[in-house]
Amino acid sequence: MTRNKSRSLLTGFGVFWGLFMLLFMLGGGNGFKAMMMKNFEGFATNTAILVADRTTKPYKGFQDGRGWSLETGDIERLRRMVPQLDVVTPSLSIWSSSAVREEYSYSDAVVKGIGAEYRQVEEPVLKYGRYLNEMDILQERKVCVIGRRVYDELFPEGGDPCGKYIRAGAIYYQVVGVDFSASNISVNGNSQDAVLIPFPVAQKIYHRGNRIDLICVTGRPGVTLSTLETRIREVIAENHFFDPTDKPALFIIDTEQLFSMVDTLFTGINLLIWLVGLGTILAGAIGVSNIMLVTVKERTIEIGIRRAIGATPRDILSQIMMESVALTSAAGVLGIMFTVACLAVLEKSNPGMPFQIGFWSAILALVLVALLGVVTGLAPATRAMAIKPVDAMRDE
Amino acid sequence: MLIDLKDINKTYNNGQPLHVLKGITLGIEAGEFVSIMGASGSGKSTLLNILGILDNYDTGEYWLDGTLIKNLSERQGADYRNRMIGFIFQSFNLISFKTAVENVELPLFYQGVSRRKRHAMAMEYLDRLGLKDWASHYPNEMSGGQKQRVAIARALITHPRIILADEPTGALDSKTSVEVMDLLAQLNREEKVTMIIVTHDPTVASKTRRTIRIKDGIIEE
């Protein structure tokens, strides 16, 4: 084995590369998943969002294709009639508003009218001040909480903006808080671009009457939102005269389903990683086995000599097995070391993301590879055992 | 009688049956210095293989030191070869990627002797054969005579009762041949090892005390 260094090296490379692929992809997959999940950060996992759409079924004398809107009254109805719901809170957005302060302006702002409970749906990361509260809503105060990008554009000098006024549309609002959430999720406008104002204020200023864009609901702990969907449809449909079985009329996105979709996706990716990784390792192992077979053939004389001077077949078996296990294990250790190094680099460039493989997974991988070495050595070893001591004399 | 062969027959069945040994009956006492001579194809190598338990025979009986050598398992065969018999080959058959001392150690390794002890013993034997300075050299760094002496050391290290040598001088020049033969004769004298040397070289045969001639599978002494 040590005689033929380059060949051993090339042979081991198959196993090395297979293990590297498997572990690297597993680690990378984990990190990628964590990065993906970061996008959902601060968003309640058992949230559903209700949006009104055109009806598709005629109902109670109304034709299909009729438009309707969610209204303020629906909030109270849901609270009363579906007690399993924890938070029921409205949201209405005014897109492409420009927010202005002194000479600074930000034209991509979204003015969002929300209730105080909205913080339980999209959790804010308050850098300055406070969130909108019940009093703001009840007294319809002209106050706002601004998102990260709005703050960066309007207050380039930094510092606490609370108490200062900004203008959105035609109205001035007093800033009461800054939300630094970096979440990429967007419920009718991303929180980084948002100018959050009390929803009754938004309804009045933008002539929405009692209409709202959407209602966000969260379930009480232990409640699965998908089981409440039918009930929610009944409650809303009754108020707006559409068929409760008319699913397109009331669009409901359930984040639980969203999360489970992402989860399924990653389970699939993981499965694929295992399949490809194990396949590569197997191909490498077969390569090792093959080369060992050739080597045994080449070493007929050596093995014959060993047999002639007293090696039992078992001695020969264990010798070949040991070589095979040593070769695959060495390649395995190198593979793991290389993987750990590569993942460390990845982790360094993506701080806070768990790319690295666990210590015990590495140990498990090593044990697996050693076992693989035994299997690999089987064929060459049986071939070597069949060599008779006479062959040493014959093959001169 | 150390070696007692009774009517040994051996036929190779490679396509055409080839009757190589046709009833060999032979006795060799402990401490003898014997040569087996014959032309190529006479069956002398086959006889040596059977004596060395490297090959089996079809009919007859082979008694080695009072034990019938027949239908041995691989394990028993290996054990007898290891403890009773030392081999010297024409082409030395040293393992090329092991040093001289490692080659000499090898039979002890298969006996399960500890590393330290077998190293010490191997060094002792190399020293006796004048190869102490060559202990850490590889076979391809040594001359033919040196290689054969390493092989002799390897054959001797287990204190075998018999040494079987197959054309031990076949790959050596005449001067080294004489040296090697003298060495073997000396070992026979001093260690009382039974020597059986297969050769077709009359000068080699003349160094031994008894010559067995074999022709077409039959002994003609």
Side-chain angles (χ1 to χ4, degrees), chain A residues 3 302 305-311 313 315 388-390 392-393 396, chain B residues 49 54 74 78 81-82 87 89 91 93 95 97-98 106-107 110 154:
Chain A
R3 275 173 306 166
E302 180 211 322
I305 299 167
R306 285 175 187 272
R307 295 280 282 115
I309 61 178
D315 288 328
K388 295 261 174 295
V390 214
M393 342 273 282
E396 275 166 1
Chain B
N49 287 349
L54 298 172
E74 293 276 13
R81 280 197 296 275
N82 190 254
F87 290 94
F89 304 93
S91 49
N93 279 357
I95 294 175
F97 55 90
K98 288 188 181 293
L106 206 55
Y110 289 120
R154 182 176 68 184

PDB file of all heavy atoms in Angstrom, chain A residues 3 302 305-311 313 315 388-390 392-393 396, chain B residues 49 54 74 78 81-82 87 89 91 93 95 97-98 106-107 110 154:
ATOM      1  N   ARG A   3       3.866   1.307  -0.935  1.00  0.00           N
ATOM      2  CA  ARG A   3       4.761   1.287  -2.077  1.00  0.00           C
ATOM      3  C   ARG A   3       4.209   2.126  -3.208  1.00  0.00           C
ATOM      4  O   ARG A   3       4.916   2.818  -3.919  1.00  0.00           O
ATOM      5  CB  ARG A   3       4.908  -0.146  -2.614  1.00  0.00           C
ATOM      6  CG  ARG A   3       5.921  -0.968  -1.928  1.00  0.00           C
ATOM      7  CD  ARG A   3       5.808  -2.364  -2.452  1.00  0.00           C
ATOM      8  NE  ARG A   3       4.431  -2.845  -2.326  1.00  0.00           N
ATOM      9  CZ  ARG A   3       3.970  -3.926  -2.943  1.00  0.00           C
ATOM     10  NH1 ARG A   3       4.749  -4.590  -3.752  1.00  0.00           N
ATOM     11  NH2 ARG A   3       2.738  -4.314  -2.749  1.00  0.00           N
ATOM     12  N   GLU A 302       4.051 -12.341  -3.058  1.00  0.00           N
ATOM     13  CA  GLU A 302       4.255 -11.928  -1.667  1.00  0.00           C
ATOM     14  C   GLU A 302       3.355 -12.733  -0.746  1.00  0.00           C
ATOM     15  O   GLU A 302       3.791 -13.245   0.290  1.00  0.00           O
ATOM     16  CB  GLU A 302       3.941 -10.436  -1.528  1.00  0.00           C
ATOM     17  CG  GLU A 302       4.137  -9.939  -0.115  1.00  0.00           C
ATOM     18  CD  GLU A 302       3.189  -8.811   0.222  1.00  0.00           C
ATOM     19  OE1 GLU A 302       2.932  -7.978  -0.657  1.00  0.00           O
ATOM     20  OE2 GLU A 302       2.700  -8.770   1.365  1.00  0.00           O
ATOM     21  N   ILE A 305       4.547 -16.240  -0.409  1.00  0.00           N
ATOM     22  CA  ILE A 305       5.693 -16.352   0.518  1.00  0.00           C
ATOM     23  C   ILE A 305       5.204 -16.346   1.948  1.00  0.00           C
ATOM     24  O   ILE A 305       5.596 -17.175   2.768  1.00  0.00           O
ATOM     25  CB  ILE A 305       6.673 -15.174   0.332  1.00  0.00           C
ATOM     26  CG1 ILE A 305       7.249 -15.158  -1.073  1.00  0.00           C
ATOM     27  CG2 ILE A 305       7.798 -15.259   1.345  1.00  0.00           C
ATOM     28  CD1 ILE A 305       7.961 -13.869  -1.402  1.00  0.00           C
ATOM     29  N   ARG A 306       4.307 -15.410   2.227  1.00  0.00           N
ATOM     30  CA  ARG A 306       3.784 -15.333   3.593  1.00  0.00           C
ATOM     31  C   ARG A 306       3.134 -16.653   3.987  1.00  0.00           C
ATOM     32  O   ARG A 306       3.315 -17.135   5.099  1.00  0.00           O
ATOM     33  CB  ARG A 306       2.750 -14.209   3.688  1.00  0.00           C
ATOM     34  CG  ARG A 306       3.372 -12.822   3.688  1.00  0.00           C
ATOM     35  CD  ARG A 306       2.277 -11.781   3.666  1.00  0.00           C
ATOM     36  NE  ARG A 306       2.797 -10.432   3.499  1.00  0.00           N
ATOM     37  CZ  ARG A 306       3.170  -9.655   4.510  1.00  0.00           C
ATOM     38  NH1 ARG A 306       3.077 -10.102   5.741  1.00  0.00           N
ATOM     39  NH2 ARG A 306       3.636  -8.441   4.292  1.00  0.00           N
ATOM     40  N   ARG A 307       2.384 -17.230   3.041  1.00  0.00           N
ATOM     41  CA  ARG A 307       1.731 -18.507   3.339  1.00  0.00           C
ATOM     42  C   ARG A 307       2.790 -19.585   3.560  1.00  0.00           C
ATOM     43  O   ARG A 307       2.673 -20.399   4.471  1.00  0.00           O
ATOM     44  CB  ARG A 307       0.802 -18.905   2.189  1.00  0.00           C
ATOM     45  CG  ARG A 307      -0.360 -17.972   1.999  1.00  0.00           C
ATOM     46  CD  ARG A 307      -1.492 -18.236   2.978  1.00  0.00           C
ATOM     47  NE  ARG A 307      -2.289 -19.387   2.569  1.00  0.00           N
ATOM     48  CZ  ARG A 307      -2.370 -20.515   3.252  1.00  0.00           C
ATOM     49  NH1 ARG A 307      -1.700 -20.651   4.362  1.00  0.00           N
ATOM     50  NH2 ARG A 307      -3.117 -21.504   2.837  1.00  0.00           N
ATOM     51  N   ALA A 308       3.853 -19.591   2.740  1.00  0.00           N
ATOM     52  CA  ALA A 308       4.876 -20.623   2.840  1.00  0.00           C
ATOM     53  C   ALA A 308       5.601 -20.558   4.173  1.00  0.00           C
ATOM     54  O   ALA A 308       5.962 -21.585   4.735  1.00  0.00           O
ATOM     55  CB  ALA A 308       5.872 -20.477   1.696  1.00  0.00           C
ATOM     56  N   ILE A 309       5.804 -19.347   4.694  1.00  0.00           N
ATOM     57  CA  ILE A 309       6.536 -19.267   5.955  1.00  0.00           C
ATOM     58  C   ILE A 309       5.599 -19.240   7.151  1.00  0.00           C
ATOM     59  O   ILE A 309       5.992 -18.885   8.238  1.00  0.00           O
ATOM     60  CB  ILE A 309       7.491 -18.066   6.000  1.00  0.00           C
ATOM     61  CG1 ILE A 309       6.717 -16.774   5.855  1.00  0.00           C
ATOM     62  CG2 ILE A 309       8.570 -18.213   4.954  1.00  0.00           C
ATOM     63  CD1 ILE A 309       7.608 -15.565   5.938  1.00  0.00           C
ATOM     64  N   GLY A 310       4.356 -19.643   6.946  1.00  0.00           N
ATOM     65  CA  GLY A 310       3.535 -19.923   8.119  1.00  0.00           C
ATOM     66  C   GLY A 310       2.344 -19.027   8.373  1.00  0.00           C
ATOM     67  O   GLY A 310       1.760 -19.101   9.440  1.00  0.00           O
ATOM     68  N   ALA A 311       1.975 -18.163   7.410  1.00  0.00           N
ATOM     69  CA  ALA A 311       0.779 -17.364   7.622  1.00  0.00           C
ATOM     70  C   ALA A 311      -0.449 -18.223   7.342  1.00  0.00           C
ATOM     71  O   ALA A 311      -0.497 -18.925   6.347  1.00  0.00           O
ATOM     72  CB  ALA A 311       0.777 -16.156   6.695  1.00  0.00           C
ATOM     73  N   PRO A 313      -4.529 -18.655   6.450  1.00  0.00           N
ATOM     74  CA  PRO A 313      -5.430 -17.861   5.624  1.00  0.00           C
ATOM     75  C   PRO A 313      -6.051 -16.711   6.401  1.00  0.00           C
ATOM     76  O   PRO A 313      -6.261 -15.629   5.876  1.00  0.00           O
ATOM     77  CB  PRO A 313      -6.504 -18.871   5.205  1.00  0.00           C
ATOM     78  CG  PRO A 313      -5.829 -20.178   5.257  1.00  0.00           C
ATOM     79  CD  PRO A 313      -4.838 -20.090   6.373  1.00  0.00           C
ATOM     80  N   ASP A 315      -4.620 -15.002   8.745  1.00  0.00           N
ATOM     81  CA  ASP A 315      -3.627 -13.921   8.796  1.00  0.00           C
ATOM     82  C   ASP A 315      -3.712 -13.051   7.551  1.00  0.00           C
ATOM     83  O   ASP A 315      -3.704 -11.814   7.616  1.00  0.00           O
ATOM     84  CB  ASP A 315      -2.205 -14.492   8.896  1.00  0.00           C
ATOM     85  CG  ASP A 315      -1.933 -15.098  10.260  1.00  0.00           C
ATOM     86  OD1 ASP A 315      -2.497 -14.602  11.247  1.00  0.00           O
ATOM     87  OD2 ASP A 315      -1.163 -16.080  10.323  1.00  0.00           O
ATOM     88  N   LYS A 388      -2.565 -20.124  -2.989  1.00  0.00           N
ATOM     89  CA  LYS A 388      -1.888 -21.249  -2.324  1.00  0.00           C
ATOM     90  C   LYS A 388      -0.407 -20.924  -2.193  1.00  0.00           C
ATOM     91  O   LYS A 388       0.154 -20.199  -3.016  1.00  0.00           O
ATOM     92  CB  LYS A 388      -2.058 -22.502  -3.175  1.00  0.00           C
ATOM     93  CG  LYS A 388      -3.490 -22.969  -3.279  1.00  0.00           C
ATOM     94  CD  LYS A 388      -3.759 -24.108  -2.307  1.00  0.00           C
ATOM     95  CE  LYS A 388      -5.220 -24.485  -2.292  1.00  0.00           C
ATOM     96  NZ  LYS A 388      -6.089 -23.414  -1.774  1.00  0.00           N
ATOM     97  N   PRO A 389       0.222 -21.483  -1.172  1.00  0.00           N
ATOM     98  CA  PRO A 389       1.657 -21.223  -1.001  1.00  0.00           C
ATOM     99  C   PRO A 389       2.490 -21.652  -2.214  1.00  0.00           C
ATOM    100  O   PRO A 389       3.527 -21.056  -2.486  1.00  0.00           O
ATOM    101  CB  PRO A 389       2.035 -22.029   0.235  1.00  0.00           C
ATOM    102  CG  PRO A 389       0.830 -22.776   0.649  1.00  0.00           C
ATOM    103  CD  PRO A 389      -0.342 -22.250  -0.055  1.00  0.00           C
ATOM    104  N   VAL A 390       2.007 -22.659  -2.942  1.00  0.00           N
ATOM    105  CA  VAL A 390       2.766 -23.106  -4.125  1.00  0.00           C
ATOM    106  C   VAL A 390       2.907 -21.983  -5.137  1.00  0.00           C
ATOM    107  O   VAL A 390       3.882 -21.932  -5.891  1.00  0.00           O
ATOM    108  CB  VAL A 390       2.054 -24.272  -4.838  1.00  0.00           C
ATOM    109  CG1 VAL A 390       3.065 -25.218  -5.434  1.00  0.00           C
ATOM    110  CG2 VAL A 390       1.055 -24.947  -3.944  1.00  0.00           C
ATOM    111  N   ALA A 392       3.771 -19.148  -4.824  1.00  0.00           N
ATOM    112  CA  ALA A 392       4.983 -18.365  -4.628  1.00  0.00           C
ATOM    113  C   ALA A 392       6.122 -18.926  -5.467  1.00  0.00           C
ATOM    114  O   ALA A 392       6.940 -18.193  -6.012  1.00  0.00           O
ATOM    115  CB  ALA A 392       5.370 -18.366  -3.159  1.00  0.00           C
ATOM    116  N   MET A 393       6.170 -20.244  -5.555  1.00  0.00           N
ATOM    117  CA  MET A 393       7.245 -20.877  -6.314  1.00  0.00           C
ATOM    118  C   MET A 393       6.953 -20.810  -7.813  1.00  0.00           C
ATOM    119  O   MET A 393       7.847 -20.668  -8.623  1.00  0.00           O
ATOM    120  CB  MET A 393       7.389 -22.350  -5.914  1.00  0.00           C
ATOM    121  CG  MET A 393       6.745 -22.705  -4.600  1.00  0.00           C
ATOM    122  SD  MET A 393       7.852 -22.418  -3.237  1.00  0.00           S
ATOM    123  CE  MET A 393       8.873 -23.841  -3.392  1.00  0.00           C
ATOM    124  N   GLU A 396       7.484 -17.370 -10.847  1.00  0.00           N
ATOM    125  CA  GLU A 396       8.801 -16.763 -10.690  1.00  0.00           C
ATOM    126  C   GLU A 396       9.187 -15.843 -11.826  1.00  0.00           C
ATOM    127  O   GLU A 396       8.669 -15.904 -12.884  1.00  0.00           O
ATOM    128  CB  GLU A 396       9.849 -17.865 -10.519  1.00  0.00           C
ATOM    129  CG  GLU A 396       9.897 -18.270  -9.055  1.00  0.00           C
ATOM    130  CD  GLU A 396      10.634 -19.567  -8.834  1.00  0.00           C
ATOM    131  OE1 GLU A 396      11.133 -20.149  -9.810  1.00  0.00           O
ATOM    132  OE2 GLU A 396      10.701 -19.992  -7.678  1.00  0.00           O
TER     133      GLU A 396
ATOM    134  N   ASN B  49       7.682 -29.564  -3.046  1.00  0.00           N
ATOM    135  CA  ASN B  49       6.436 -28.936  -2.592  1.00  0.00           C
ATOM    136  C   ASN B  49       5.677 -29.836  -1.635  1.00  0.00           C
ATOM    137  O   ASN B  49       5.105 -29.374  -0.654  1.00  0.00           O
ATOM    138  CB  ASN B  49       5.541 -28.601  -3.788  1.00  0.00           C
ATOM    139  CG  ASN B  49       6.074 -27.415  -4.574  1.00  0.00           C
ATOM    140  OD1 ASN B  49       6.978 -26.732  -4.099  1.00  0.00           O
ATOM    141  ND2 ASN B  49       5.552 -27.193  -5.755  1.00  0.00           N
ATOM    142  N   LEU B  54       3.506 -27.684   0.868  1.00  0.00           N
ATOM    143  CA  LEU B  54       2.956 -26.600   0.057  1.00  0.00           C
ATOM    144  C   LEU B  54       1.922 -27.166  -0.897  1.00  0.00           C
ATOM    145  O   LEU B  54       1.086 -26.454  -1.416  1.00  0.00           O
ATOM    146  CB  LEU B  54       4.069 -25.922  -0.742  1.00  0.00           C
ATOM    147  CG  LEU B  54       5.152 -25.257   0.086  1.00  0.00           C
ATOM    148  CD1 LEU B  54       6.288 -24.796  -0.800  1.00  0.00           C
ATOM    149  CD2 LEU B  54       4.590 -24.087   0.864  1.00  0.00           C
ATOM    150  N   GLU B  74      -5.833 -25.891   6.364  1.00  0.00           N
ATOM    151  CA  GLU B  74      -4.913 -24.800   6.018  1.00  0.00           C
ATOM    152  C   GLU B  74      -4.155 -24.319   7.256  1.00  0.00           C
ATOM    153  O   GLU B  74      -2.980 -24.005   7.208  1.00  0.00           O
ATOM    154  CB  GLU B  74      -5.707 -23.632   5.427  1.00  0.00           C
ATOM    155  CG  GLU B  74      -6.352 -23.919   4.086  1.00  0.00           C
ATOM    156  CD  GLU B  74      -5.389 -23.718   2.931  1.00  0.00           C
ATOM    157  OE1 GLU B  74      -4.177 -23.604   3.190  1.00  0.00           O
ATOM    158  OE2 GLU B  74      -5.858 -23.686   1.780  1.00  0.00           O
ATOM    159  N   ALA B  78      -0.209 -24.480   7.793  1.00  0.00           N
ATOM    160  CA  ALA B  78       0.556 -23.262   8.048  1.00  0.00           C
ATOM    161  C   ALA B  78       1.395 -23.404   9.302  1.00  0.00           C
ATOM    162  O   ALA B  78       2.557 -22.978   9.347  1.00  0.00           O
ATOM    163  CB  ALA B  78      -0.402 -22.083   8.174  1.00  0.00           C
ATOM    164  N   ARG B  81       4.416 -25.715   8.615  1.00  0.00           N
ATOM    165  CA  ARG B  81       5.403 -24.988   7.814  1.00  0.00           C
ATOM    166  C   ARG B  81       6.149 -24.000   8.669  1.00  0.00           C
ATOM    167  O   ARG B  81       7.366 -23.846   8.573  1.00  0.00           O
ATOM    168  CB  ARG B  81       4.702 -24.230   6.672  1.00  0.00           C
ATOM    169  CG  ARG B  81       4.346 -25.078   5.492  1.00  0.00           C
ATOM    170  CD  ARG B  81       4.053 -24.206   4.282  1.00  0.00           C
ATOM    171  NE  ARG B  81       2.888 -23.350   4.488  1.00  0.00           N
ATOM    172  CZ  ARG B  81       1.632 -23.733   4.281  1.00  0.00           C
ATOM    173  NH1 ARG B  81       1.385 -24.944   3.854  1.00  0.00           N
ATOM    174  NH2 ARG B  81       0.641 -22.902   4.485  1.00  0.00           N
ATOM    175  N   ASN B  82       5.416 -23.343   9.538  1.00  0.00           N
ATOM    176  CA  ASN B  82       6.012 -22.291  10.353  1.00  0.00           C
ATOM    177  C   ASN B  82       7.022 -22.851  11.356  1.00  0.00           C
ATOM    178  O   ASN B  82       8.085 -22.278  11.565  1.00  0.00           O
ATOM    179  CB  ASN B  82       4.886 -21.535  11.072  1.00  0.00           C
ATOM    180  CG  ASN B  82       5.374 -20.281  11.741  1.00  0.00           C
ATOM    181  OD1 ASN B  82       5.493 -20.228  12.948  1.00  0.00           O
ATOM    182  ND2 ASN B  82       5.692 -19.286  10.931  1.00  0.00           N
ATOM    183  N   PHE B  87      12.157 -22.462   4.456  1.00  0.00           N
ATOM    184  CA  PHE B  87      12.264 -22.501   3.001  1.00  0.00           C
ATOM    185  C   PHE B  87      13.339 -21.551   2.494  1.00  0.00           C
ATOM    186  O   PHE B  87      13.458 -20.415   2.981  1.00  0.00           O
ATOM    187  CB  PHE B  87      10.937 -22.092   2.360  1.00  0.00           C
ATOM    188  CG  PHE B  87       9.852 -23.110   2.540  1.00  0.00           C
ATOM    189  CD1 PHE B  87       8.959 -23.024   3.596  1.00  0.00           C
ATOM    190  CD2 PHE B  87       9.730 -24.162   1.639  1.00  0.00           C
ATOM    191  CE1 PHE B  87       7.963 -23.956   3.755  1.00  0.00           C
ATOM    192  CE2 PHE B  87       8.723 -25.097   1.804  1.00  0.00           C
ATOM    193  CZ  PHE B  87       7.838 -25.001   2.862  1.00  0.00           C
ATOM    194  N   PHE B  89      14.440 -20.186  -1.368  1.00  0.00           N
ATOM    195  CA  PHE B  89      13.996 -20.259  -2.757  1.00  0.00           C
ATOM    196  C   PHE B  89      15.096 -19.813  -3.704  1.00  0.00           C
ATOM    197  O   PHE B  89      15.996 -19.066  -3.330  1.00  0.00           O
ATOM    198  CB  PHE B  89      12.768 -19.374  -2.985  1.00  0.00           C
ATOM    199  CG  PHE B  89      11.620 -19.696  -2.073  1.00  0.00           C
ATOM    200  CD1 PHE B  89      11.445 -19.019  -0.871  1.00  0.00           C
ATOM    201  CD2 PHE B  89      10.710 -20.674  -2.422  1.00  0.00           C
ATOM    202  CE1 PHE B  89      10.390 -19.312  -0.040  1.00  0.00           C
ATOM    203  CE2 PHE B  89       9.642 -20.967  -1.586  1.00  0.00           C
ATOM    204  CZ  PHE B  89       9.486 -20.290  -0.393  1.00  0.00           C
ATOM    205  N   SER B  91      14.729 -17.737  -6.213  1.00  0.00           N
ATOM    206  CA  SER B  91      14.681 -16.279  -6.436  1.00  0.00           C
ATOM    207  C   SER B  91      14.533 -15.534  -5.113  1.00  0.00           C
ATOM    208  O   SER B  91      13.953 -14.464  -5.061  1.00  0.00           O
ATOM    209  CB  SER B  91      13.541 -15.946  -7.382  1.00  0.00           C
ATOM    210  OG  SER B  91      12.360 -16.588  -6.954  1.00  0.00           O
ATOM    211  N   ASN B  93      12.803 -14.740  -2.934  1.00  0.00           N
ATOM    212  CA  ASN B  93      11.453 -14.473  -2.448  1.00  0.00           C
ATOM    213  C   ASN B  93      11.429 -13.689  -1.138  1.00  0.00           C
ATOM    214  O   ASN B  93      10.719 -14.028  -0.206  1.00  0.00           O
ATOM    215  CB  ASN B  93      10.679 -15.783  -2.278  1.00  0.00           C
ATOM    216  CG  ASN B  93      10.125 -16.265  -3.599  1.00  0.00           C
ATOM    217  OD1 ASN B  93      10.284 -15.576  -4.604  1.00  0.00           O
ATOM    218  ND2 ASN B  93       9.494 -17.418  -3.605  1.00  0.00           N
ATOM    219  N   ILE B  95      10.344 -10.167   0.637  1.00  0.00           N
ATOM    220  CA  ILE B  95       9.284  -9.193   0.357  1.00  0.00           C
ATOM    221  C   ILE B  95       9.944  -7.845   0.123  1.00  0.00           C
ATOM    222  O   ILE B  95      10.657  -7.315   0.977  1.00  0.00           O
ATOM    223  CB  ILE B  95       8.258  -9.164   1.505  1.00  0.00           C
ATOM    224  CG1 ILE B  95       7.543 -10.514   1.533  1.00  0.00           C
ATOM    225  CG2 ILE B  95       7.266  -8.041   1.316  1.00  0.00           C
ATOM    226  CD1 ILE B  95       6.587 -10.696   2.667  1.00  0.00           C
ATOM    227  N   PHE B  97       9.194  -4.717  -0.152  1.00  0.00           N
ATOM    228  CA  PHE B  97       8.999  -3.433   0.542  1.00  0.00           C
ATOM    229  C   PHE B  97       9.280  -3.555   2.033  1.00  0.00           C
ATOM    230  O   PHE B  97       8.908  -2.688   2.808  1.00  0.00           O
ATOM    231  CB  PHE B  97       7.596  -2.888   0.288  1.00  0.00           C
ATOM    232  CG  PHE B  97       6.502  -3.844   0.647  1.00  0.00           C
ATOM    233  CD1 PHE B  97       5.961  -3.837   1.917  1.00  0.00           C
ATOM    234  CD2 PHE B  97       6.016  -4.733  -0.303  1.00  0.00           C
ATOM    235  CE1 PHE B  97       4.957  -4.708   2.251  1.00  0.00           C
ATOM    236  CE2 PHE B  97       5.009  -5.611   0.027  1.00  0.00           C
ATOM    237  CZ  PHE B  97       4.479  -5.613   1.308  1.00  0.00           C
ATOM    238  N   LYS B  98       9.918  -4.660   2.420  1.00  0.00           N
ATOM    239  CA  LYS B  98      10.321  -4.778   3.818  1.00  0.00           C
ATOM    240  C   LYS B  98      11.849  -4.848   3.879  1.00  0.00           C
ATOM    241  O   LYS B  98      12.483  -5.404   2.977  1.00  0.00           O
ATOM    242  CB  LYS B  98       9.719  -6.041   4.441  1.00  0.00           C
ATOM    243  CG  LYS B  98       8.217  -5.912   4.677  1.00  0.00           C
ATOM    244  CD  LYS B  98       7.693  -7.090   5.457  1.00  0.00           C
ATOM    245  CE  LYS B  98       6.203  -7.001   5.699  1.00  0.00           C
ATOM    246  NZ  LYS B  98       5.817  -5.900   6.580  1.00  0.00           N
ATOM    247  N   LEU B 106       9.542 -11.968   9.834  1.00  0.00           N
ATOM    248  CA  LEU B 106       8.191 -12.328   9.402  1.00  0.00           C
ATOM    249  C   LEU B 106       7.660 -13.664   9.953  1.00  0.00           C
ATOM    250  O   LEU B 106       6.538 -13.717  10.462  1.00  0.00           O
ATOM    251  CB  LEU B 106       8.128 -12.303   7.875  1.00  0.00           C
ATOM    252  CG  LEU B 106       6.754 -12.036   7.283  1.00  0.00           C
ATOM    253  CD1 LEU B 106       6.154 -10.754   7.822  1.00  0.00           C
ATOM    254  CD2 LEU B 106       6.846 -11.975   5.772  1.00  0.00           C
ATOM    255  N   PRO B 107       8.438 -14.773   9.900  1.00  0.00           N
ATOM    256  CA  PRO B 107       7.893 -16.023  10.435  1.00  0.00           C
ATOM    257  C   PRO B 107       7.535 -15.923  11.914  1.00  0.00           C
ATOM    258  O   PRO B 107       6.549 -16.495  12.358  1.00  0.00           O
ATOM    259  CB  PRO B 107       9.041 -17.022  10.238  1.00  0.00           C
ATOM    260  CG  PRO B 107       9.867 -16.437   9.163  1.00  0.00           C
ATOM    261  CD  PRO B 107       9.778 -14.956   9.321  1.00  0.00           C
ATOM    262  N   TYR B 110       4.157 -14.378  12.481  1.00  0.00           N
ATOM    263  CA  TYR B 110       3.028 -15.297  12.365  1.00  0.00           C
ATOM    264  C   TYR B 110       2.959 -16.290  13.513  1.00  0.00           C
ATOM    265  O   TYR B 110       1.984 -16.993  13.683  1.00  0.00           O
ATOM    266  CB  TYR B 110       3.062 -16.013  11.008  1.00  0.00           C
ATOM    267  CG  TYR B 110       2.723 -15.065   9.887  1.00  0.00           C
ATOM    268  CD1 TYR B 110       3.616 -14.806   8.861  1.00  0.00           C
ATOM    269  CD2 TYR B 110       1.495 -14.415   9.879  1.00  0.00           C
ATOM    270  CE1 TYR B 110       3.299 -13.916   7.855  1.00  0.00           C
ATOM    271  CE2 TYR B 110       1.172 -13.529   8.880  1.00  0.00           C
ATOM    272  CZ  TYR B 110       2.071 -13.278   7.862  1.00  0.00           C
ATOM    273  OH  TYR B 110       1.747 -12.403   6.881  1.00  0.00           O
ATOM    274  N   ARG B 154      16.003 -15.987   7.453  1.00  0.00           N
ATOM    275  CA  ARG B 154      14.565 -16.086   7.633  1.00  0.00           C
ATOM    276  C   ARG B 154      14.134 -17.543   7.830  1.00  0.00           C
ATOM    277  O   ARG B 154      13.238 -17.827   8.612  1.00  0.00           O
ATOM    278  CB  ARG B 154      13.841 -15.494   6.407  1.00  0.00           C
ATOM    279  CG  ARG B 154      12.341 -15.517   6.543  1.00  0.00           C
ATOM    280  CD  ARG B 154      11.660 -14.851   5.378  1.00  0.00           C
ATOM    281  NE  ARG B 154      11.832 -15.617   4.156  1.00  0.00           N
ATOM    282  CZ  ARG B 154      11.392 -15.223   2.969  1.00  0.00           C
ATOM    283  NH1 ARG B 154      10.793 -14.056   2.840  1.00  0.00           N
ATOM    284  NH2 ARG B 154      11.578 -15.967   1.905  1.00  0.00           N
TER     285      ARG B 154
END
